[in-house]
Amino acid sequence: MEGHDMLPLDQIRALLLEHDDPHHLERPADFDLDTSRECFARLVSVLKERFGPSCSRGLAQDASFYGVIDVPAAATEPGRFMRVVMSNFGSYFVTADVVVGEGVPSGEAGSTEEFVTWLDGVCAAAGCTFVPAGLLREPYSGPSFLEAHRDEELVAALVAAGEVTEDADDEEEVGKAYWRDRYFEYM
């Protein structure tokens, strides 16, 4: 894994856009369950090797991600709960969040640079693409219609029906989607 350089952010952005198929929100048309299962198993194995057997894993249904691997706070250097997630898309996009407080992800802010570099190398060796959490917090600019867009339609209908009033503070987030919503959320 040494000698591997993380892909430039512009190249990762291009990959996110390239693999965004609005007709296949949960998994790509060429999704291969056996390959996905093997890739996820490699990620689980490597994370358990580094952080110990207390890591747990879970698979997803009705989602654009394949599964999650949770690393308990006691096993991490920053002493914070960590979640690594593998998408169904791309060459399996993978991201990691360090959770601060009540389930609020901080992205790489709580991770060491060494961990991010290590995970990127693990991903490259496993045939995955590591996507930094910061990039996933960028506004979504792809062709797919996501849940956030449905929220915008719902709020507009409720306002038109007089059920709710428009609130400028709430309106800023309504209808806004982020790249995380495309590749790492329930659909």
Side-chain angles (χ1 to χ4, degrees), residues 15-77:
L15 288 171
L16 293 174
L17 195 55
E18 175 186 332
H19 291 283
D20 188 0
D21 179 351
H23 302 293
H24 296 91
L25 293 178
E26 291 182 20
R27 65 186 70 77
D30 61 352
F31 181 78
D32 181 335
L33 181 60
D34 291 334
T35 303
S36 301
R37 186 179 298 127
E38 290 171 19
C39 186
F40 189 69
R42 282 193 302 271
L43 287 173
V44 170
S45 176
V46 171
L47 285 159
K48 282 187 172 192
E49 186 178 302
R50 177 170 175 150
F51 295 106
S54 61
C55 294
S56 62
R57 66 186 184 97
L59 302 178
Q61 254 187 322
D62 302 323
S64 59
F65 64 97
Y66 182 83
V68 300
I69 305 144
D70 290 334
V71 181
T76 69
E77 188 176 310

Side-chain angles (χ1 to χ4, degrees), residues 15 34 66 70 88 91 104 125 128 146 151 166 184-185:
L15 288 171
D34 291 334
Y66 182 83
D70 290 334
N88 289 324
S91 58
V104 179
C128 302
L146 304 176
D151 292 346
E166 291 188 63
F184 297 96
E185 289 295 335

Side-chain angles (χ1 to χ4, degrees), residues 3 26 29 38-39 41 60 77 83 93 123 162 168 170 173 182 186:
E26 291 182 20
E38 290 171 19
C39 186
E77 188 176 310
R83 173 165 281 165
F93 298 134
C123 288
D170 292 338
E173 287 302 311
R182 177 60 186 97
Y186 291 95

Side-chain angles (χ1 to χ4, degrees), residues 112-126:
T112 64
E113 184 177 328
E114 182 271 333
F115 172 76
V116 171
T117 301
W118 174 82
L119 184 57
D120 180 60
V122 164
C123 288

Side-chain angles (χ1 to χ4, degrees), residues 137-160:
R137 286 189 292 274
E138 291 180 1
Y140 173 73
S141 58
S144 296
F145 187 77
L146 304 176
E147 285 299 316
H149 300 121
R150 284 184 182 80
D151 292 346
E152 182 178 37
E153 288 179 349
L154 175 62
V155 169
L158 291 172
V159 167

Side-chain angles (χ1 to χ4, degrees), residues 1 6 81 144:
M1 283 183 280
M6 188 180 297
F81 172 78
S144 296

